[in-house]
Amino acid sequence: METMKGAIFDLDGVIVDTAKYHYLAWKKLANQLGFDFTEEQNERLKGVSRVRSLEILLEIGGINLTEEEQEKYRELKNEWYLDYIKDMKTDELLKGAKEYILQLKKAGIKISLGSASKNAVLILKNLDIYDLFDAIIDGNQVSKAKPDPEVFLKAAEALGLDSSVCTVFEDAEAGVQAGKAAGMYVVGIGTKENLPEADRVVAGLYELLV
Ligand code: B16
Ligand code: MG
């Protein structure tokens, strides 16, 4: 942390709780396909790409679909999800998130996003924090999902920094693993039990404010 020159933030669960909207949209799809989907099962989708999320959902429902059908359902789910998040406002920012990013910027630290979401830019704009980012790497730029380090390596590259001076902020275990695989210091957002591989764990970014 001492040598931090770049900070790379995951989006869902670190800056904003979009998981609840993803859940509503996946649940609607599950119901339409004839089965129920619980909040507990939704935990398996956190930090996971849209493609993989649908595969997990279909596994839960015991349903087999062709790739063409899956594409159709991914689009449908995303339309519902976009409908839920279109009115998202700054009050949905997680506690301390914007303040912490501003604190880092003041200290000269470069800021990047490192998210699996293809809707990240829209969300950052709705939250009025888009301009705070020096780089944005999201689901539109990566081909390999976390725990693959691709998203964080691309973020470091976009910031013009070596991995060793970048810190990742992540709430999902696969994201923590991706950060470690990228050779970065990882701050887990959650609990030590859920994120045993993180270098440090805090409940939220508000704990890091000075
Ligand atoms: P989209 P993160 C992830 O965001 C979510 O945690 C995950 O539930 C979602 O499936 C994924 O983004 C893709 O999102 O459907 O908007 O492209 O935690 O990587 O910021
Ligand atoms: Mg996340």
Side-chain angles (χ1 to χ4, degrees), residues 10-12 22 26 45-50 53 77-78 81 114-119 146 171:
D10 173 51
L11 182 62
D12 176 34
H22 281 296
W26 286 126
L45 307 191
K46 286 192 178 172
V48 172
S49 72
R50 198 183 307 168
S53 293
K77 179 267 171 179
N78 197 50
Y81 175 68
S115 164
S117 176
K118 292 189 170 178
N119 299 301
K146 301 168 189 175
D171 71 310

Side-chain angles (χ1 to χ4, degrees), residues 92-121:
E92 297 214 35
L93 273 161
L94 290 177
K95 195 169 143 198
K98 184 174 183 179
E99 294 78 2
Y100 184 58
I101 292 171
L102 287 170
Q103 178 181 303
L104 294 180
K105 283 184 82 72
K106 225 172 167 184
I109 291 162
K110 294 256 172 283
I111 310 293
S112 179
L113 192 79
S115 164
S117 176
K118 292 189 170 178
N119 299 301
V121 167

Side-chain angles (χ1 to χ4, degrees), residues 68-82:
E68 213 175 35
E69 289 167 324
Q70 291 191 35
E71 178 55 26
K72 190 184 84 190
Y73 285 121
R74 282 196 297 268
E75 274 174 30
L76 188 60
K77 179 267 171 179
N78 197 50
E79 276 172 31
W80 291 332
Y81 175 68
L82 287 174

Side-chain angles (χ1 to χ4, degrees), residues 10 43-49 52 116 144-152 168 170-182 186 194-197:
D10 173 51
E43 288 298 309
R44 289 178 63 192
L45 307 191
K46 286 192 178 172
V48 172
S49 72
R52 184 67 195 128
K144 293 179 225 132
K146 301 168 189 175
D148 190 282
E150 185 186 15
V151 62
F152 296 132
V168 165
E170 253 293 347
D171 71 310
E173 182 59 4
V176 170
Q177 289 165 348
K180 291 313 300 172
V186 179
N194 294 336
L195 305 171
E197 292 170 58

Side-chain angles (χ1 to χ4, degrees), residues 33-67:
L33 291 169
F35 63 96
D36 201 20
F37 178 55
T38 66
E39 260 184 271
E40 202 188 336
Q41 288 167 330
N42 187 57
E43 288 298 309
R44 289 178 63 192
L45 307 191
K46 286 192 178 172
V48 172
S49 72
R50 198 183 307 168
V51 171
R52 184 67 195 128
S53 293
L54 178 62
E55 286 171 0
I56 296 172
L57 190 84
L58 295 174
E59 255 168 56
I60 291 169
I63 290 177
N64 279 313
L65 294 178
T66 63
E67 172 46 33

